Amino acid sequence: SVAASSTKLLSTIIFETPSTDAGDYSVRVTPKVCPNCGKSVTFAFRQIDPTRPVILAPAPTGGPFQSILGSSLAIKVAPFPTLGYEALIISCAGTGITVGEISIISVVLGDIATISFS
């Protein structure tokens, strides 16, 4: 469907994806009044696995070692598996960066998991 905020110059399109495997797909949008008139738009779309946890905004951009010694940060993750995991590892990577060990302080489960670390 086309969002109500759309104009003739800028359209926002809302669509549901079919049940498919995660991966890259090509999406084609054509005008309803002339599906064969050659005025279609095609774009790439990445279907993600909805069961895979993701970090929710706002994501931390600094770490406790960059601030006050002993301070902690938290990230929010959803969906978070409630069963079947034995360990939780947070790792940081960057070009030329050496990161010390990150300790998990707590994991608070709910619809969204809050993970505190130092």
Side-chain angles (χ1 to χ4, degrees):
S1 66
V2 179
S5 61
S6 296
T7 66
K8 288 184 177 186
L9 298 176
L10 181 63
S11 297
T12 301
I13 298 172
I14 302 165
F15 63 96
E16 289 188 29
T17 59
S19 296
T20 60
D21 293 331
D24 293 331
Y25 293 89
S26 179
V27 176
R28 177 170 291 176
V29 180
T30 59
K32 186 176 183 179
V33 295
C34 62
N36 298 318
C37 64
K39 295 183 178 182
S40 64
V41 175
T42 303
F43 60 92
F45 178 79
R46 176 164 289 169
Q47 178 86 322
I48 60 171
D49 180 351
T51 63
R52 188 172 180 179
V54 295
I55 296 174
L56 303 177
T61 57
F65 298 118
Q66 296 171 330
S67 314
I68 301 168
L69 187 60
S71 65
S72 63
L73 293 175
I75 57 174
K76 293 182 186 276
V77 177
F80 194 82
T82 55
L83 299 172
Y85 65 92
E86 296 177 7
L88 178 64
I89 300 169
I90 296 178
S91 60
C92 299
T95 305
I97 298 173
T98 303
V99 179
E101 183 177 330
I102 297 175
S103 303
I104 306 296
I105 297 172
S106 66
V107 177
V108 179
L109 295 176
D111 290 340
I112 297 173
T114 300
I115 304 166
S116 299
F117 56 93
S118 66

